Amino acid sequence: MGDQVHCYAMKTGLKLDTSVTNGLIDMYMKCGSLGSSSKLFDSIESPDVVSWSSLILGYAQFGYGEEALKLFEKMISSGVVPNQVTFIGVLTACSHVGLVEEGVNLYNTMKTDHGVAPTREHCSCVVDLLSRAGRINEAEAFVNQMEFEADIVIWKTLLAACTKYNNPEVGKRAAENILKIDPSNSAAHVLLCNIYASDNSWKDVARVRSLMKQRKVKKTPGQSWIELKESIHVFVSEDSLHSERDKIYLMLEELWLPMLDIVQSETSFINDLWCG
């Protein structure tokens, strides 16, 4: 729809001002069309802070951390003063490419060097930055010294990292804080069970599961959707309610069988090489 509006504006000869172009850049970025966003950005004679920030944030969110950091450097060298959104994008970029020290340094110099006061969103980015790098204890220490009260997003970020890097002690505290905010949070219960299980604390596993039953907490099933011919099709895990489920499963079976044959033939080939 946004693409059609853009085309209509161009066909009718409307000259897009910077604010409208910024809206299009943001729209294309959020839809994953990075190329269109970049072309629009290049068409602006004097990009403002919104132009730069939209592009930086988009690249960072889609995993192009190095490109986002290069854009930030160009932005600073061009004399444009960054804002809060800019730093969310830059910190996200540092997180995705593993530049921990650089990200922490940027956070620490936001106010002194650029006059931008950190918000809870920036703190969340730093927690994500440290957590992704496996620096769990540092992430928890950062949360404890924040001037903002940690929200559920921050605690979930820390909890997920604890599960990945097997840190049951911090994970327990993170999960407990999530359940204080949202006692019916299914993800926190499940991850807490997994942490106790990895630590062989089976009594605690039973206690959490019993608590889930008491609170009638159920794990939210996975869900995905796709848009085809202006119609949205929703698929839920272990669901058979789709009107065309028979055709879908038939097609999946037709795809699955050749894939299975390929896997078996490759396995046989590797075994022959090994035995030979």
Side-chain angles (χ1 to χ4, degrees):
M1 294 292 288
D3 197 26
Q4 291 178 35
V5 172
H6 182 195
C7 290
Y8 178 79
M10 300 301 291
K11 286 179 179 179
T12 52
L14 293 174
K15 184 177 179 181
L16 302 179
D17 63 14
T18 303
S19 61
V20 176
T21 306
N22 288 342
L24 287 168
I25 290 172
D26 182 64
M27 182 273 295
Y28 279 122
M29 271 297 182
K30 288 178 178 176
C31 293
S33 184
L34 277 64
S36 297
S37 293
S38 182
K39 287 179 181 179
L40 277 168
F41 178 83
D42 293 337
S43 71
I44 304 175
E45 291 184 8
S46 300
D48 59 15
V49 64
V50 178
S51 313
W52 286 100
S53 300
S54 297
L55 205 63
I56 289 169
L57 185 60
Y59 273 112
Q61 290 178 336
F62 279 95
Y64 295 92
E66 294 180 359
E67 288 81 354
L69 293 172
K70 288 177 182 177
L71 281 169
F72 179 69
E73 293 174 1
K74 288 182 180 179
M75 175 184 176
I76 298 299
S77 62
S78 67
V80 178
V81 179
N83 61 14
Q84 292 180 342
V85 177
T86 313
F87 277 100
I88 290 175
V90 174
L91 290 171
T92 301
C94 289
S95 180
H96 284 183
V97 297
L99 296 174
V100 181
E101 303 303 333
E102 290 83 348
V104 172
N105 182 61
L106 278 168
Y107 172 83
N108 291 331
T109 58
M110 280 174 57
K111 192 169 185 179
T112 56
D113 292 2
H114 304 283
V116 179
T119 65
R120 183 182 281 105
E121 286 74 20
H122 297 110
C123 293
S124 181
C125 288
V126 175
V127 174
D128 181 64
L129 174 71
L130 294 168
S131 298
R132 281 174 181 261
R135 294 160 67 163
I136 308 298
N137 293 325
E138 290 179 57
E140 185 185 31
F142 179 84
V143 172
N144 292 332
Q145 60 86 40
M146 289 190 318
E147 59 181 86
F148 307 98
E149 186 175 352
D151 60 11
I152 196 168
V153 174
I154 289 175
W155 287 120
K156 277 185 175 182
T157 300
L158 190 59
L159 177 58
C162 290
T163 306
K164 180 179 178 180
Y165 290 102
N166 192 26
N167 191 321
E169 293 305 318
V170 177
K172 292 171 189 175
R173 292 192 288 270
E176 287 166 1
N177 278 287
I178 291 173
L179 295 176
K180 284 179 184 177
I181 300 171
D182 181 11
S184 62
N185 189 282
S186 60
H189 283 92
V190 173
L191 288 174
L192 187 57
C193 276
N194 293 340
I195 288 172
Y196 283 135
S198 65
D199 200 32
N200 293 321
S201 302
W202 302 112
K203 289 184 179 179
D204 289 318
V205 172
R207 177 178 60 81
V208 174
R209 287 181 176 172
S210 175
L211 197 62
M212 289 178 70
K213 288 182 180 179
Q214 291 176 17
R215 294 173 175 174
K216 296 181 180 179
V217 176
K218 292 184 179 180
K219 186 177 181 297
T220 305
Q223 180 175 304
S224 61
W225 57 90
I226 185 172
E227 183 177 353
L228 293 172
K229 297 180 181 179
E230 300 181 355
S231 178
I232 296 175
H233 300 264
V234 180
F235 300 92
V236 180
S237 179
E238 299 181 0
D239 181 20
S240 60
L241 298 179
H242 195 279
S243 60
E244 296 187 72
R245 62 184 180 277
D246 294 335
K247 293 180 180 179
I248 293 170
Y249 286 121
L250 180 62
M251 178 58 70
L252 286 173
E253 188 175 349
E254 289 180 1
L255 291 170
W256 169 247
L257 291 175
M259 290 168 62
L260 189 62
D261 290 338
I262 292 171
V263 171
Q264 290 176 343
S265 62
E266 287 184 352
T267 304
S268 176
F269 177 69
I270 292 171
N271 289 335
D272 289 342
L273 286 176
W274 181 260
C275 294

